[in-house]
Amino acid sequence: NIDRMMLLNRRFHFSGWLLPVCGIIFCCLLTLGKAGAAPLTMPVEEIRPGMQGVARTVVSGSQIEEFSIEVLGILKQKGPSGDLILIRAAGDVVDRTGGIAQGMSGSPVYIDGRLVGAIGYGWPFTDHKTGMVTPIADMLKLWELPLGKPPAVSMNPPPADDLRPDENIPEEKLNTPLLVAGFGDKALALLRDRLRPYNLVPYSAGGEADGMLGASLEPGSPIGVQLVRGDVSVGAMGTVTYVEDGRVLAFGHPFLKRGAAGYFMTAAQVLTTMSGLENSFKVGLTGQPIGVIDQDRGAGISGRIGVFPPVIPISVTVTDQNLRQIREMNAQMVNDDELSPILGIATIFNAIEKTCDRIGSGTARVKMEITSPDITGESLKRDNMFYSPANIGEAALAEIFEGMAILAGNPFKAVDITGLTVNVEIDAARRTASIQEAKPAVTKVKAGDRVPINVKLKPFRGEEITRQIFFVVPKDQPSGPMTLIVRGGGMVPLVQMLARQQANGEEDAVKLWVKNKPKNLDDAVRELSERDRNNDLVVEVMNLEYPGNMGETEEPKGSVKSEKPQKPQKPQPPQEDHAAMSAKAPAKSVPGQSAEEPKEKRADGSNKKFHLTTDYIIDNVTQMVIDVKGMEPRTSN
């Protein structure tokens, strides 16, 4: 769509007045770059105004063409890495493209056969024939830097004072553009919103070639940089500046300026170059990865052919129960502590949007598994239900993002994430139910007794139903009244609020809001994987003394234990499995409910909290009091 491309074109801009000439080119499989001797270069100190030279680039297909340049002057210390060389372009190629186009960034510039540098910047709203060149000496330094994982920071420093943008230029033009393909409008908007703090602005453009491209990787060839590839694509493009022994220099300006990086390096095919009012731009296709981009800094990007970055495979299956439609999407994304969680949820949301073909209310059942050899069990699994009155697709992403962030951004150790698998079932119906009341079958019990509790639920616009959950009185429960909370699994904040209202003193109330921080990565993973689910019916002891999560068994510091001797517990027959007990008293079936009977389970094995999984997202909270007869003191004969 030419109008959309023109709009995209108007929004590309780099820091300051400088416009990075990165365009929409992506490519298919490319042959390896030829090994060569060190280039004959010309240092900035030898360059004078009036010198003539040539630049090389591809404007259509795979043929590298030349256009002439004239040096206008040297801008001292005005670039991200040092000096910039001001040039003016001319010739048939420039006339056909409408000037220096986005996608030409990295185009090598030669004077007297010696490599001067790479075209990296231009100005919008001009004749597009004036640009700036990053010196090759600054770019060659990228090969001397140590490799490593990209830092967990976003770096886009302000431009030099006299190169600041005009106040009339909208601020969004100062962000780094990302070119995406395969995304729906809402998924693109989600990606744009999540990436805004990183000065990254995604636009819909480009695509991937169906076949293999046979262009050789050499100075002037198009090159692609991707963060996500597969059924969707997220990345940028530019031009190769120099190739030597399988190493590549390109762009002449930073992509994300992440320092040591790990992006996909791909080849590109230029379909055409479009003239634009604000600036010109190339249109093209991406292809298969041919290597890794390992440095992303002020002077440009560098990479290695035949060496590939660590990736996170994503597999998403979305089922729309109303349309009876199933869609599977697969992609690979780069392993980056900050960007991977964002790229992951955007890719998953896109699959939801494409499958359901709507935005609105509904209920989602989400199963996810994040695999990593660096955590106990080698995976983080989670199964939960969500409801949203506005956008169920976004609501379904919450724990996926949290799980990715826990692993990728944890403060304990570096983690290698090896896979993200998600299964989402969407139903337009609202599958929520409110707790109406909860009553124990008996009100006087002994420590160790198993107490049936009947809970009345009112599904949304449905008939009232009853579910039975069993609670085992803790063996160390003292005599006297025991307050039990019955709630939905997602209602913890309300339980805390209820407890706070009954707490004695402001200090105790505040403590109830404090959540214990995980001591290690496994603790953080366990907290999410064992957290109460929104479709759980939960019964637990209300404990106003413990300053952490309710229902824990750990003794609070400073608490006074009862000194009353305890009578030994009589041997108890083995208790039946909770799931089997639940199956013996099946609840009334409800139209539209899963045929699988909900199962009762323990979350923490503490004997103070029990769960019953249902087919409804449970809201509301209530409490009850049971009289406990504690253990009698043991007497001697």
Side-chain angles (χ1 to χ4, degrees), residues 455-608:
V455 184
K456 289 185 178 180
L457 302 173
K458 178 64 171 62
F460 178 74
R461 294 180 179 174
E463 298 295 326
E464 191 175 82
I465 61 175
T466 299
R467 291 287 181 265
Q468 189 174 74
I469 183 172
F470 293 88
F471 178 82
V472 178
V473 180
K475 295 179 180 180
D476 59 353
Q477 183 68 27
S479 297
M482 175 180 65
T483 302
L484 295 180
I485 292 292
V486 180
R487 61 177 175 84
M491 301 301 294
V492 173
L494 290 183
V495 176
Q496 292 175 330
M497 185 180 299
L498 180 63
R500 185 176 68 167
Q501 293 173 350
Q502 300 183 20
N504 295 322
E506 181 178 351
E507 182 177 353
D508 288 339
V510 171
K511 288 180 180 179
L512 288 167
W513 286 88
V514 177
K515 182 178 179 180
N516 291 333
K517 292 184 178 181
K519 298 178 181 179
N520 52 54
L521 179 57
D522 283 338
D523 280 351
V525 170
R526 190 180 305 110
E527 192 282 324
L528 175 58
S529 61
E530 297 182 357
R531 183 185 302 167
D532 301 336
R533 297 184 290 188
N534 297 328
N535 54 315
D536 278 345
L537 190 61
V538 181
V539 57
E540 63 183 339
V541 177
M542 177 184 284
N543 186 349
L544 298 183
E545 294 180 348
Y546 182 58
N549 294 332
M550 303 188 65
E552 298 283 353
T553 58
E554 181 181 342
E555 285 291 334
K557 294 181 180 180
S559 63
V560 179
K561 296 183 179 180
S562 172
E563 297 181 0
K564 183 179 180 180
Q566 297 292 321
K567 184 177 180 179
Q569 177 77 23
K570 292 181 179 181
Q572 298 289 327
Q575 290 188 356
E576 298 183 66
D577 179 79
H578 288 175
M581 291 295 294
S582 178
K584 287 183 179 181
K588 179 181 177 182
S589 103
V590 180
Q593 183 169 323
S594 170
E596 181 182 356
E597 187 65 29
K599 295 180 179 181
E600 185 178 355
K601 66 180 182 67
R602 294 181 184 178
D604 55 15
S606 68
N607 242 17
K608 289 195 174 183

Side-chain angles (χ1 to χ4, degrees), residues 29-30 40 76 107 134 140 163 211 297 312 337 355 396 399 419 450 458 479 485 488 505 513 577 591 596-597 606 635:
L29 193 63
L30 194 58
L40 293 175
K76 291 292 185 180
S107 297
T134 299
L140 288 170
L163 290 178
R297 300 183 184 272
I312 302 176
D337 288 350
T355 305
E399 289 185 345
R450 193 166 187 266
K458 178 64 171 62
S479 297
I485 292 292
W513 286 88
D577 179 79
E596 181 182 356
E597 187 65 29
S606 68
T635 57

